[in-house]
């Protein structure tokens, strides 16, 4: 289990309500917000299927959390690093090279939800 998955959230990352179930505390979203985030109407056409899967996992692990307005903190796959992520920019190695990384996709999914 990585550091991100071990995180326990007490309040919904999206609406701020208290989370009651163990599952919600792991993902960081209440049932309604989790459903909205999962069905986010964002256009994923620019991304490869494995990036879309990674973005969804990042969200469901509660490993991308809002920092301020459109900026998020995303935890790296191995849980050792955090990146600053916005819909069009990210401080991860791929993002710094100007590549569209799955962190940016996850940020877009969350903002569109
Ligand atoms: Zn919520
Ligand atoms: Zn990134």
């Amino acid at each position: 289990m990585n550091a991100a998955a071990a995180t326990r959230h007490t309040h919904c990352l999206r609406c701020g309500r208290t989370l009651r179930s163990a599952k919600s505390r792991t993902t960081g979203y209440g049932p309604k917000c989790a459903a909205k985030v999962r069905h986010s109407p964002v256009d994923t056409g620019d991304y490869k299927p494995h990036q879309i899967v990674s973005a969804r996992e990042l969200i469901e692990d509660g490993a991308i959390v809002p920092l301020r307005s459109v900026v998020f903190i995303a935890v790296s796959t191995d849980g050792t690093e955090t990146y600053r992520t916005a819909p069009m920019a990210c401080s991860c190695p791929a993002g710094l090279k100007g590549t569209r990384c799955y962190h940016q996709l996850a940020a877009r999914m969350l903002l569109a939800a």
Side-chain angles (χ1 to χ4, degrees):
M1 185 181 280
N2 65 32
T7 306
R8 286 292 175 271
H9 301 273
T10 54
H11 292 84
C12 180
L13 294 171
R14 187 163 177 274
C15 70
R17 280 200 204 128
T18 307
L19 297 173
R20 302 189 185 285
S21 77
K23 183 167 179 280
S24 296
R25 288 190 177 153
T26 303
T27 62
Y29 296 95
K32 280 187 188 160
C33 290
K36 284 215 167 174
V37 165
R38 198 170 302 131
H39 299 115
S40 174
V42 80
D43 177 13
T44 55
D46 297 347
Y47 286 87
K48 299 187 177 78
H50 74 88
Q51 289 184 301
I52 297 168
V53 170
S54 295
R56 290 195 190 286
E57 283 176 359
L58 192 68
I59 293 169
E60 298 202 354
D61 283 349
I64 178 164
V65 300
L67 179 61
R68 58 184 156 75
S69 63
V70 299
V71 180
F72 295 81
I73 294 287
V75 181
S76 64
T77 320
D78 61 8
T80 59
E81 290 185 74
T82 56
Y83 308 123
R84 282 182 175 233
T85 307
M88 301 301 282
C90 184
S91 68
C92 77
L96 289 177
K97 277 191 273 179
T99 306
R100 263 190 300 239
C101 60
Y102 69 86
H103 306 117
Q104 293 169 52
L105 176 59
R108 282 164 61 178
M109 285 176 171
L110 292 176
L111 288 168

